[in-house]
């Protein structure tokens, strides 16, 4: 069997003809092509099926009959391709959608749905170009009356590339951020180690210790950044694991406050209020430390005045399950109302005081992995207030 490379219209003579719907006359008497706006039944005939109008579909839908002429071109297809439906209906598929691959090859000539191999059932999604360079994501299904019979319909799905471009931009931003954040500590580590190796005898013990402490701090910074990247990967793929243990969250708050005081913050900078009758909380202790560490660091770095941490019992879910509520607030300028919807997105930064912009995105993912919720708002003294609620998460064997 010879595989043809012509257009679908040229393959008409090789494909048997099914009865065509009667033409609809226009006011001038000229016959019009069947518009194909009636929904298709699952069996492949043209009768009513699920009662769904093709124009209701979010993706572009293009259907060609056994002769290669378009019988359905929905509103989304017109929007994505900028081809009016009236111009597409009744035309050969390769003329209404003159698609090319990224190398400039005519796509319909390459795929040849009507004259190609009878075992093919369609084409996977590909990035193709319309005239003028408009990019579209195209997939196709070949409908046959029997497994190796002639093609009765070609069903084409069209999607815009905006969502994919947003994802690609997000990945590019992540790579740029990682490269920027790694460059500074790696430069420092390389510089100090090279200096020590080259001129070890010239430095005093105190100078050596200072250099090694700097190297250690920069190595810790790199380690934290890599941990953030791994967390983002697990959150995005839904593979973030939670190893639940009984957690004393009040003690965890105390440890984080003490760590900030040890690093030079005034004890008066923090006010901790722990309400009585806290339920037993079963959570991943490392991830609870991660949540508290990010929120307190955010309040200290970007906020002002007293940082207030409050821990209280609450109802975590609508079915009355007990939970623990933790709020962290400051007395700074707060977060503008128009920015609150973006706080938990990647790379959001509330100020220019450093940071990767990934911390709050990770916090939200970790809280939700525990089955909890987190919100941001304005605190009682005007600053930002982050409030998260965790269900007690009691293991099944203890219920």
């Amino acid at each position: 069997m010879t595989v043809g490379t012509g257009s679908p219209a040229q393959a008409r003579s090789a494909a048997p003809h099914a009865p065509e719907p009667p033409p609809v006359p226009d006011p001038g008497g000229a016959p019009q092509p069947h518009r194909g706006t009636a929904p298709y039944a699952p069996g492949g005939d043209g009768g009513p099926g699920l009662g769904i109008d093709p124009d209701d579909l979010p993706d572009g839908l293009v259907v060609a009959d056994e002769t290669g002429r378009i019988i359905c071109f929905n509103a989304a297809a017109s929007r994505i391709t900028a081809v009016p439906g009236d111009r597409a209906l009744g035309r050969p598929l390769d003329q209404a959608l003159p698609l090319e691959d990224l190398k400039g090859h005519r796509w319909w000539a390459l795929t040849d749905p009507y004259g190609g191999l009878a075992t093919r059932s369609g084409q996977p999604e590909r990035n193709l170009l319309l005239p003028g360079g408009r990019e579209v994501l195209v997939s196709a299904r070949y409908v046959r009356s029997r497994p190796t019979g002639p093609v009765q319909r070609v069903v084409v799905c069209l999607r815009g590339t905006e969502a994919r471009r947003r994802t690609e931009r997000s990945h590019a931003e992540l790579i740029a951020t990682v490269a920027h954040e790694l460059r500074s500590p790696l430069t420092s580590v390389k510089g100090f180690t090279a200096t020590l190796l080259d001129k070890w005898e010239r430095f005093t013990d105190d100078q050596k210790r200072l250099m090694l402490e700097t190297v250690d701090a920069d190595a810790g910074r790199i380690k934290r950044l890599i941990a953030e990247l791994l967390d983002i990967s697990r959150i995005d793929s839904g593979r973030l694991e939670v190893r639940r243990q009984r957690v004393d969250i009040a003690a965890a708050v105390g440890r984080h406050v003490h760590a900030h005081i040890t690093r030079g913050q005034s004890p008066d900078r923090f006010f901790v209020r722990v309400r009585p009758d806290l339920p037993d909380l079963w959570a991943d202790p490392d991830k609870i430390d991660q949540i508290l560490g990010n929120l307190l660091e955010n309040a200290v770095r970007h906020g002002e005045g007293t940082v207030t941490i409050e821990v209280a019992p609450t109802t975590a879910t609508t079915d009355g399950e007990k939970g623990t509520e933790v709020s962290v607030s400051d007395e700074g300028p707060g977060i503008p109302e128009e920015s609150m919807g973006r706080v938990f997105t990647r790379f959001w930064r509330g100020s220019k005081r450093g940071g990767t912009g990934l911390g709050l995105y990770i916090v939200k993912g970790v809280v939700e992995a525990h089955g909890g919720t987190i919100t941001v708002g304005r605190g009682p003294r005007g600053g930002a207030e982050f409030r998260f609620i965790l269900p007690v998460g009691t293991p099944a064997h203890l219920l």
Side-chain angles (χ1 to χ4, degrees):
M1 174 180 173
T2 303
V3 179
T5 57
S7 69
Q10 292 170 334
R12 293 179 217 160
S13 59
H17 288 266
E20 296 205 10
V24 180
D26 67 0
Q32 296 293 316
H34 176 58
R35 300 185 70 84
T37 55
Y40 292 100
D45 59 12
L50 299 176
I52 299 175
D53 191 310
D55 287 345
D56 294 336
L57 299 175
D59 292 335
L61 175 67
V62 180
V63 182
D65 63 11
E66 72 279 1
T67 69
R69 291 187 177 273
I70 293 177
I71 59 174
C72 179
F73 201 91
N74 73 348
S78 295
R79 173 178 53 81
I80 293 169
T81 63
V83 176
D86 292 341
R87 284 176 46 193
L89 289 170
R91 297 182 65 193
L93 190 57
D94 61 333
Q95 295 180 20
L97 290 177
L99 296 166
E100 296 182 353
D101 64 18
L102 300 183
K103 296 180 180 179
H105 300 141
R106 299 296 295 269
W107 194 61
W108 293 116
L110 293 175
T111 57
D112 191 20
Y114 292 91
L117 294 173
T119 56
R120 294 185 304 170
S121 60
Q123 293 288 333
E125 186 174 77
R126 292 188 59 182
N127 192 359
L128 299 174
L129 300 175
L130 285 166
R134 181 187 292 267
E135 293 186 47
V136 289
L137 299 174
V138 182
S139 57
R141 167 99 185 276
Y142 306 157
V143 180
R144 304 175 188 271
S145 58
R146 58 183 187 277
T148 58
V151 173
Q152 299 296 313
R153 285 200 188 95
V154 174
V155 181
V156 182
C157 181
L158 303 173
R159 295 170 55 208
T161 58
E162 293 82 5
R164 178 171 292 186
R165 285 179 176 176
R166 286 195 296 268
T167 301
E168 291 172 350
R169 282 197 298 269
S170 178
H171 290 164
E173 289 175 358
L174 182 60
I175 292 171
T177 299
V178 171
H180 175 75
E181 293 295 326
L182 286 175
R183 183 183 297 121
S184 177
L186 283 175
T187 301
S188 173
V189 168
K190 177 63 178 174
F192 279 118
T193 53
T195 300
L196 286 170
L197 288 172
D198 188 46
K199 302 176 181 179
W200 178 267
E201 299 82 4
R202 300 185 184 182
F203 296 108
T204 65
D205 289 345
D206 289 341
Q207 290 173 324
K208 294 174 183 176
R209 173 176 292 277
L210 178 61
M211 290 184 183
L212 290 174
E213 287 175 348
T214 304
V215 168
D216 183 68
D218 286 333
R221 181 177 165 189
I222 295 171
K223 182 180 178 181
R224 287 192 298 272
L225 178 59
I226 292 173
E228 285 184 346
L229 296 176
L230 291 174
D231 286 335
I232 288 175
S233 173
R234 296 186 184 108
I235 290 169
D236 289 347
S237 62
R239 295 185 293 105
L240 188 66
E241 295 182 2
V242 175
R243 297 180 174 87
R244 295 184 185 272
Q245 302 175 34
R246 183 174 286 162
V247 174
D248 186 344
I249 195 164
V253 170
R255 287 197 308 273
H256 283 275
V257 170
H258 179 72
H260 280 281
I261 293 173
T262 302
R263 291 198 292 266
Q265 292 292 329
S266 169
D268 296 335
R269 181 85 194 272
F270 303 94
F271 177 73
V272 179
R273 179 187 293 118
V274 179
R275 302 290 185 181
D277 303 322
L278 290 177
D280 289 337
L281 175 64
W282 289 80
D284 189 318
D286 292 335
K287 290 180 172 50
I288 294 299
D289 281 338
Q290 193 174 20
I291 295 170
L292 294 173
N294 270 294
L295 293 182
L296 263 68
E297 179 70 24
N298 186 74
V300 169
R301 177 180 293 180
H302 304 292
E304 298 174 3
T306 301
V307 176
T308 301
I309 307 101
E310 184 167 351
V311 184
T314 188
T315 300
T317 59
T318 55
D319 59 5
E321 182 182 5
K322 292 181 179 180
T324 300
E325 178 182 88
V326 181
S327 64
V328 179
S329 60
D330 62 75
E331 299 176 348
I335 299 171
E337 291 288 339
E338 62 272 13
S339 299
M340 286 188 178
R342 304 193 303 272
V343 166
F344 297 109
T345 59
R346 291 185 187 182
F347 310 117
W348 183 86
R349 294 179 177 88
S351 69
K352 298 181 180 179
R353 299 181 187 178
T356 62
L358 301 174
L360 292 177
Y361 177 81
I362 294 172
V363 165
K364 183 175 185 289
V366 171
V367 169
E368 291 178 347
H370 281 81
T373 59
I374 185 168
T375 58
V376 61
R378 189 163 295 279
R381 295 178 178 83
E385 180 181 66
F386 290 88
R387 184 183 302 271
F388 67 92
I389 298 175
L390 298 177
V392 293
T394 306
H397 69 276
L398 296 179
L399 295 175

